Amino acid sequence: MSRSEFDIIRQYFSGIGTPAHSPGVVLGVGDDAAVLQIPSSLQQCVSTDMLVESVHFPVDAPSALVGQKALSVNLSDLAAMGARPFCFTLSLSLPEYNARWLEGFSEGLSRVAERYACPLVGGDTCTGPLVISIQVLGLAEPQSILRRDGARVGDAVLVTGTLGKGALGLAAMGLPVHFDAGLHEQLNDLSPQARETLENFYYCPQPRLDFARQAAPYINSAIDVSDGLVGDLGHIVHASGAGAIVDSSAIPFAPAVVDCTSPSQRLEAALYGGDDYELCFTAAKENLAALKEVASNLQLQLTEIGEIDQGEGLRIRDQHGNLGAAQTKAYRHFQKEPIQ
Ligand code: ADP
Ligand code: MG
C-alpha cells in the first residue's frame, strides 16, 4: 500500500507521550515547528542520539524494542545531566512503508514516552536506510545540572545497577562484540530464559532519571555508561583533570551475566562493552550515606567502585591489589565492521 509521510505521521506519530497534557507544550506535531514554553528559572538540556540499523541494532530487530531503546538511550543522557524530560523530536528514515514495523515502533516509543512523561512534539520522516534520530529536551534548575568536569580528588566513584549486561545482551543474540571475538559463540547453548533476560538488558535500558534528580545535590560529576566504564569514566577523569582507580573486584554484575561468563570475561564486558546506560558518578565521601538512602528508596543498586585521585588517567586495581593502566578497547565508530 502506498502512503505518504503525512499518513505515517498522523497514524503513528501523533499523540505519543500525550503532548496535549504536557505543560509547556504549546504546539506539538503538525505545524512547521513545535512551540514550547520554558519556565524562566530553568535551564534546558538538549541531546541527540542516533540509532542506525546494523550499527546499533541488528537487521530484523523487533521494532517495538528498537523504539523503546531509541528513546531510552536519549533519556539516559538527560539523567546523566540531572535533567528531567520535557519533550522529544524524532527524525526517521525508513526503507519502505511497513505498517507492522511502524506499529511496533510507535508502540515501543509510546511506552517509554508515557512512562517518563516525555511527549513527541515534532520530527521529520523520509525514505532511506533505517535510521532513527531522536533529540530530547530536558529541564533542570541550574544548580542541579551534573557535568563531567566536576570530579574532585578524594571523591568516591559509584555506579548504579550492574555493568557488562548490554554487551552480553548483544552477544546472546549471536552477534560478535568488539572486545571478545568468541563470546557470542560461547553463548550458543544458553537457555531461552537466560537469552531473553540478556537480550532485554540490551534493548530495555532503564534511564536513571529519578535517581539522578534526587541524588543531584550529592553528586560532583556524572556520565551515563554507554561505551563501557573505561571510556566513560575516562571522560570524567579527563574533563576534571584528575585520575581514578577502579577496583575490579567491586564492579557489580547481574546474576544472569555471572551465570554465563568467566570473571575475566564479565570484567572486560563492564570495562570495554557498552549499552549499559547506568550512571557513573563521583561524590564526596561524606555524601555516601545520603546517596545510599536515595538509591535504597528507589530500590536501585548502588556500588562504590573506586576513587578519584591525582594520578595519571584511569587505573584498574585487580583482585590482588596490583594496579594496571586501563586499555583503550572502548567501542569506537569508524573502526569496526557493521553487525548483521
Ligand atoms: P515541513 O515540510 O514543514 O518540514 P513535515 O512535512 O516534515 O513539515 O512535517 C509535518 C509535521 O509533522 C511537522 O510538525 C513535523 O514536526 C511533524 N513530523 C514529521 N515527521 C515526524 C515524526 N517522525 N515524528 C513526529 N513528528 C513528525
Ligand atoms: Mg520536515
Side-chain angles (χ1 to χ4, degrees):
M1 197 193 312
S2 123
R3 295 281 177 96
S4 77
E5 73 264 35
F6 303 110
D7 299 317
I8 292 179
I9 296 160
R10 195 176 328 108
Q11 192 166 352
Y12 300 106
F13 299 123
S14 298
I16 287 190
T18 353
H21 295 164
S22 301
V25 178
V26 179
L27 194 57
V29 171
D31 214 309
D32 293 306
V35 179
L36 308 171
Q37 180 76 49
I38 316 289
S40 62
S41 60
L42 301 179
Q43 290 183 332
Q44 280 190 72
C45 298
V46 183
S47 179
T48 299
D49 255 328
M50 192 158 60
L51 263 64
V52 178
E53 182 181 60
S54 96
V55 176
H56 299 96
F57 57 90
V59 173
D60 298 331
S63 61
L65 296 180
V66 174
Q68 206 170 313
K69 178 159 180 170
L71 183 52
S72 297
V73 302
N74 275 278
L75 293 175
S76 177
D77 281 318
L78 291 185
M81 295 305 292
R84 62 171 175 273
F86 181 36
C87 61
F88 74 105
T89 63
L90 166 70
S91 297
L92 184 64
S93 157
L94 273 179
E96 61 187 354
Y97 175 82
N98 176 337
R100 219 163 61 97
W101 193 93
L102 280 160
E103 229 157 75
F105 180 73
S106 154
E107 198 184 291
L109 211 53
S110 288
R111 208 176 300 148
V112 180
E114 293 289 344
R115 159 95 171 71
Y116 296 102
C118 188
L120 175 60
V121 298
D124 203 17
T125 307
C126 68
T127 47
L130 183 52
V131 178
I132 300 138
S133 178
I134 285 180
Q135 181 173 57
V136 279
L137 274 75
L139 298 176
E141 301 76 18
Q143 68 276 13
S144 312
I145 288 183
L146 306 175
R147 300 167 46 138
R148 296 177 178 186
D149 60 4
R152 295 183 204 145
V153 172
D155 276 4
V157 177
L158 298 103
V159 287
T160 60
T162 66
L163 298 182
K165 57 192 188 296
L168 262 296
L170 199 58
M173 287 184 258
L175 298 165
V177 291
H178 66 279
F179 57 89
D180 185 340
L183 186 59
H184 63 298
E185 281 164 6
Q186 181 190 317
L187 301 185
N188 270 343
D189 47 2
L190 279 178
S191 73
Q193 201 185 358
R195 190 177 305 283
E196 193 186 325
T197 303
L198 294 176
E199 286 184 17
N200 267 335
F201 287 147
Y202 181 78
Y203 280 122
C204 310
Q206 307 287 309
R208 301 303 186 186
L209 288 156
D210 290 341
F211 175 79
R213 296 279 304 157
Q214 293 175 34
Y218 311 114
I219 292 179
N220 285 341
S221 67
I223 192 166
D224 66 327
V225 185
S226 55
D227 300 326
L229 185 66
V230 164
D232 292 320
L233 179 55
H235 291 310
I236 285 188
V237 160
H238 183 76
S240 302
I245 292 178
V246 166
D247 272 308
S248 60
S249 55
I251 294 176
F253 296 101
V257 168
V258 173
D259 286 348
C260 67
T261 50
S262 70
S264 69
Q265 278 179 320
R266 51 186 176 263
L267 178 62
E268 293 240 310
L271 296 179
Y272 309 113
D275 288 285
D276 283 328
Y277 298 100
E278 295 295 347
L279 291 182
C280 174
F281 61 95
T282 78
K285 293 200 172 135
E286 67 254 30
N287 288 331
L288 287 182
L291 285 163
K292 280 178 189 157
E293 193 176 331
V294 171
S296 129
N297 288 339
L298 294 167
Q299 297 181 324
L300 178 64
Q301 192 172 340
L302 181 65
T303 312
E304 187 180 346
I305 58 166
E307 189 177 315
I308 298 294
D309 68 4
Q310 283 167 321
E312 192 53 27
L314 182 57
R315 283 139 295 134
I316 312 292
R317 184 156 44 212
D318 69 16
Q319 71 271 38
H320 310 296
N322 300 320
L323 281 185
Q327 299 178 48
T328 49
K329 282 202 264 183
Y331 181 83
R332 295 272 183 273
H333 288 278
F334 307 105
Q335 288 186 358
K336 187 182 154 260
E337 297 300 313
I339 54 177
Q340 288 305 332

